[in-house]
Amino acid sequence: MRWLRQRSIPPFAWVTAAGGAVIAGSGLLDAVTSTGDPLGSGWTWFWVAVTVVLAGTPIALGIRFVHWVGLAGVSVFFVITSLQMAVSTAPVASVNNIVLYPMLACYLGWFYRRWVARAVTGGGFALSFAAIAVNPFDAVLITWVNILLASVFCLEAAGYLRSRLDREITTDPLTGLLNRSGLDARIDLELGRAARTAQPVAVVIVDLDDFKKINDERGHAAGDRLLVEFAAALREATRPYDLVARIGGDEFLLVLPATTDGEALELIGRLHASAPELWSFGLAVAEPDDTAHSIRERADQRLYAHKASRKQNPFGRP
């Protein structure tokens, strides 16, 4: 147990290992109760041994365990169980092979993109239906339909909950904008795309001036209204594919793909027209060796330089 605590094992690896253990346990029950596997008892014991190894692999690999391995494991399970159903000589043996499908649908819905999870789950049920068509059992067909319905529910519920959680984690609850969570990864993605397409990308950091004074003199409700109105102005000034995030109490960040320095200044001019509050900004256009950290830091430095100039000219505008 101490060895496990010292390892960095992500939740995905733990859940995958648990799923493998459940499949191994189900296979073991089949082996010891002699359900009459059509491929022979030796095959059943071999399959149990394989699933035991697969259950331990995510724990052994830890952070090195990649998502496509879990996807491949689920696909193999669908293929093997469908093969068993196609040659089964007993309805009970066929049903035992598909009772775990809802569990796998839940796993896919939570850990994989919706279209991937739906495609793999749909493929698994298509294979199992083909197996029933080859080796028909009336009772199994009814059970298959019930398991299909349960699996669709598990798949969609897990996918919905995961997408809802992701939105809550990455969204600022007051303004509805993106927050800091995962922002650097998205900036790096845009920088990589810009490097491949030879397109510019600009990052702008905007900071409301004297926001604390507004909270102190007019109350936090007034401050919140100002933030919501300013966030709406940012959305109005930007394009649908631009990234707009709230990264601090009164600080916002814009990521503008395919935008030059001059085009970014034009956007700032439009924002000036729609947002009458006093605010400062820092603008940085990506350089070849930039990372999310370096371009944000450069924009931040220019923001503070702009704020310093504003102190000398308190009535100036961005």
Side-chain angles (χ1 to χ4, degrees):
M1 291 300 295
R2 183 179 179 182
W3 174 77
L4 287 177
R5 287 194 298 268
Q6 290 175 341
R7 291 181 58 80
S8 178
I9 302 175
F12 170 65
W14 279 115
V15 175
T16 304
V22 169
I23 294 172
S26 176
L28 182 62
L29 284 174
D30 281 350
V32 299
T33 56
S34 300
T35 56
D37 193 308
L39 299 179
S41 60
W43 163 260
T44 302
W45 284 108
F46 171 76
W47 178 243
V48 169
V50 169
T51 53
V52 167
V53 172
L54 292 177
T57 299
I59 303 301
L61 292 178
I63 59 174
R64 294 175 297 168
F65 185 70
V66 293
H67 275 58
W68 70 262
V69 177
L71 197 63
V74 172
S75 301
V76 169
F77 180 78
F78 282 144
V79 170
I80 294 300
T81 52
S82 297
L83 174 62
Q84 291 175 315
M85 291 172 64
V87 298
S88 176
T89 58
V92 173
S94 292
V95 170
N96 283 345
N97 289 320
I98 60 175
V99 291
L100 298 181
Y101 281 20
M103 178 191 76
L104 297 178
C106 185
Y107 169 82
L108 291 169
W110 183 265
F111 285 109
Y112 295 90
R113 294 180 183 272
R114 298 291 283 275
W115 70 269
V116 173
R118 287 167 175 164
V120 175
T121 304
F125 274 98
L127 287 173
S128 61
F129 182 77
I132 292 175
V134 170
N135 189 14
F137 290 111
D138 292 339
V140 171
L141 180 61
I142 299 301
T143 303
W144 181 89
V145 172
N146 288 332
I147 291 176
L148 170 64
L149 295 175
S151 297
V152 169
F153 172 81
C154 291
L155 174 69
E156 296 303 321
Y160 168 77
L161 291 174
R162 179 58 189 264
S163 62
R164 178 71 179 268
L165 177 63
D166 287 343
R167 283 198 301 271
E168 290 183 356
I169 290 174
T170 59
T171 302
D172 172 55
L174 177 64
T175 63
L177 300 178
L178 296 173
N179 60 23
R180 280 185 174 273
S181 179
L183 182 60
D184 278 0
R186 300 188 69 169
I187 296 175
D188 281 331
L189 183 66
E190 290 298 336
L191 292 174
R193 183 180 291 117
R196 291 191 302 272
T197 60
Q199 292 279 353
V201 58
V203 169
V204 182
I205 297 179
V206 181
D207 185 84
L208 293 171
D209 294 334
D210 299 323
F211 183 71
K212 184 177 184 302
K213 184 178 179 181
I214 294 173
N215 275 336
D216 291 342
E217 294 181 356
R218 296 159 53 189
H220 287 281
D224 286 348
R225 283 195 300 272
L226 175 58
L227 291 172
V228 171
E229 291 169 0
F230 194 71
L234 288 173
R235 287 198 196 95
E236 183 67 25
T238 53
R239 301 161 297 187
Y241 53 85
D242 293 330
L243 298 182
V244 185
R246 181 187 177 197
I247 58 174
D250 59 347
E251 198 169 58
F252 300 84
L253 182 142
L254 313 178
V255 182
L256 311 173
T259 302
T260 63
D261 185 279
E263 290 169 336
L265 289 174
E266 289 178 6
L267 181 148
I268 290 169
R270 293 197 300 273
L271 181 61
H272 162 59
S274 60
E277 301 81 13
L278 292 177
W279 45 270
S280 303
F281 72 93
L283 166 63
V285 176
E287 297 175 355
D289 58 347
D290 259 331
T291 63
H293 175 74
S294 64
I295 194 171
R296 278 197 301 103
E297 186 175 24
R298 201 160 64 251
D300 218 26
Q301 290 171 352
R302 292 173 183 173
L303 168 67
Y304 285 113
H306 191 217
K307 275 188 171 292
S309 69
R310 295 294 301 281
K311 288 182 180 179
Q312 298 175 0
N313 180 22
F315 297 104
R317 300 301 306 260

